[in-house]
Amino acid sequence: MSRRTQVVVIGGGQAGLAAGYHLRRLGLDFVILDAQTTPGGAWQQAWDSLHLFSPAAYSSLPGRLMPTQAGETCPDARHVVEYLADYEKRYGLPVERPVRVTGVHRDGQLLRVETDSDTWHAPAVISATGTWWRPFLPAIPGHPAFGGGQLHTVEYRSPADFAGQRVIVVGGGNSGAQIAADLAYNTRLTWVTQRPPRFLADDIDGRALFDVATARRRALDEGRTDTRGVASLGGIVAVPPVREARDHGLLKAKPMFSRLVSGGVEWSDGTHAEADVIIWCTGFRPTLAHLAPLQLRGRRGHIATEGTQAVHEPRLHLLGYGDWTGPASATLIGVGRPARDAARQIAEILS
Ligand code: FAD
């Protein structure tokens, strides 16, 4: 069936919902298309022990404070899923799911959004598909030689699945540190990082990160030097389980190995470690395959944006993918402002 609206929002996670909130406030007609069967975006996929790195009040979308979770200073992922489900219900956001967008095309004055069910036409599209759905694996020699299990952050659930096993966790970011801490007590853990891990001071949590991102935004708005925001801190948030494992001496990282061999991994000096399983906590890339027909990717695979607006296709906005689509836009509290700006820009053009 062919359908028409003013704005198609692709993705019904936190970024898509924040966009919906502002589009509704501006009185625009829109639809949110989400590939999941239930609300909550990527938070539904999180591992069992994942908690936010900020208190609830600092993890809220526009319009509605996240309620606190009994017994937890920083809520867990299940609480975030409940909050997002309640949010879209409370604001009556028109989310259609499961609907997967397969391609966005230019079609005269409009953009045509092809899905696995209907085709939509709209003068504006907001892409808010997150990064969780495109896990990144580094090219290390020997992948096929390794006889054990290999998984990415997105497939990790609980330490119970690896009890007693020789586990190598690769990655010195927050996911790597948290999963290593999770596994430190009941597996034979080796933690491997490209650079020596840098733990942020214990009093730095999501609130401080938000303040830093806000300071950066102000600096940019006022034409001052880019402070590089959260990236300038470049470290691991010492959430309580990470702090505890670190203080017990269980988070000592080895440098990156040079290749995989049949029974484990090998370093360039010839030393090796046996492993039953390798968990790659090596990050994500933006989920943008549905935008391929628009041919917006530059030489380094990046889509140029001015704020959230695609430079070479002004009818398209990109929301929530990281600092390049708005400072702290990949966080719950940070996505509200770029969502508002995108909705305002679209409303202006449509009027
Ligand atoms: P998602 O939640 O991924 O939602 C995108 C939606 O789009 C999904 O439902 C997906 O199915 C759908 N979709 C994708 N492709 C298509 C398509 N082609 N057609 C239709 N639908 C599609 N942030 C914080 O604020 N605080 C934290 O403590 C915090 N901790 C984090 C910990 C980890 C380990 C990670 C990975 C992230 C964390 N974040 C945190 C960052 C951020 O809040 C999440 O990554 C968040 O899920 C991003 O929301 P999103 O809406 O952009 O994307």
Side-chain angles (χ1 to χ4, degrees):
M1 192 172 51
S2 184
R3 298 166 73 183
R4 193 161 168 165
T5 185
Q6 288 183 300
V7 190
V8 174
V9 180
I10 308 171
Q14 64 200 36
L17 300 188
Y21 171 87
H22 285 292
L23 293 169
R24 164 75 26 95
R25 288 196 71 178
L26 292 165
L28 295 178
D29 186 45
F30 66 98
V31 66
I32 301 175
L33 307 176
D34 186 39
Q36 301 299 292
T37 49
T38 47
W43 292 104
Q44 300 172 81
Q45 316 289 327
W47 62 90
D48 295 353
S49 67
L50 181 66
H51 283 62
L52 291 175
F53 48 62
S54 325
Y58 280 79
S59 307
S60 302
L61 293 182
R64 169 145 172 78
L65 271 188
M66 181 185 285
T68 53
Q69 182 179 22
E72 304 280 2
T73 311
C74 297
D76 64 21
R78 276 187 304 265
H79 187 73
V80 182
V81 171
E82 280 166 27
Y83 168 71
L84 294 178
D86 174 70
Y87 188 90
E88 65 178 61
K89 206 154 107 199
R90 174 175 293 260
Y91 292 111
L93 299 178
V95 188
E96 298 200 2
R97 59 166 70 90
V99 177
R100 177 168 295 281
V101 172
T102 51
V104 180
H105 305 256
R106 296 188 180 90
D107 196 343
Q109 301 286 334
L110 302 176
L111 291 172
R112 187 176 78 250
V113 179
E114 304 273 6
T115 79
D116 54 7
S117 50
D118 297 335
T119 296
W120 288 85
H121 283 89
V125 167
I126 298 177
S127 184
T129 47
T131 58
W132 184 266
W133 322 95
R134 210 176 137 214
F136 172 74
L137 283 177
I140 304 282
H143 269 285
F146 179 61
Q150 292 190 62
L151 59 151
H152 187 271
T153 310
V154 298
E155 293 151 303
Y156 175 73
R157 285 291 162 274
S158 146
D161 298 332
F162 305 98
Q165 294 188 29
R166 295 163 302 180
V167 182
I168 296 183
V169 171
V170 184
N174 283 296
S175 304
Q178 286 188 31
I179 290 178
D182 218 20
L183 291 163
Y185 303 92
N186 73 341
T187 69
R188 289 151 68 193
L189 171 73
T190 306
W191 184 31
V192 174
T193 61
Q194 206 157 31
R195 281 174 287 278
R198 200 161 74 80
F199 295 98
L200 295 173
D202 289 359
D203 60 346
I204 291 191
D205 64 7
R207 280 172 288 201
L209 297 178
F210 179 69
D211 290 344
V212 171
T214 309
R216 178 189 191 212
R217 192 179 63 217
R218 256 192 230 120
L220 291 176
D221 286 352
E222 292 165 10
R224 288 185 277 122
T225 314
D226 187 354
T227 57
R228 288 184 59 242
V230 173
S232 68
L233 295 173
I236 297 164
V237 182
V239 293
V242 166
R243 208 179 303 164
E244 201 177 306
R246 180 201 63 193
D247 293 349
H248 281 98
L250 299 172
L251 287 187
K252 298 230 165 75
K254 283 184 184 288
M256 190 61 196
F257 48 81
S258 56
R259 64 191 190 113
L260 279 71
V261 291
S262 63
V265 301
E266 210 168 77
W267 281 265
S268 47
D269 64 2
T271 53
H272 75 279
E274 306 274 300
D276 299 304
V277 63
I278 301 173
I279 304 179
W280 297 94
C281 302
T282 41
F284 307 87
R285 297 289 180 267
T287 314
L288 298 174
H290 55 289
L291 302 179
L294 297 173
Q295 299 188 312
L296 296 171
R297 282 176 180 264
R299 240 191 273 151
R300 294 173 61 206
H302 200 70
I303 297 183
T305 47
E306 175 97 38
T308 58
Q309 193 170 36
V311 171
H312 302 295
E313 179 44 86
R315 294 170 293 185
L316 174 71
H317 288 256
L318 291 107
L319 184 63
Y321 296 102
D323 282 358
W324 62 283
T325 55
S329 71
T331 64
L332 284 151
I333 196 165
V335 75
R337 180 171 157 140
R340 185 197 64 192
D341 294 347
R344 279 186 184 164
Q345 268 179 298
I346 290 170
E348 245 169 61
I349 287 169
L350 294 185
S351 68

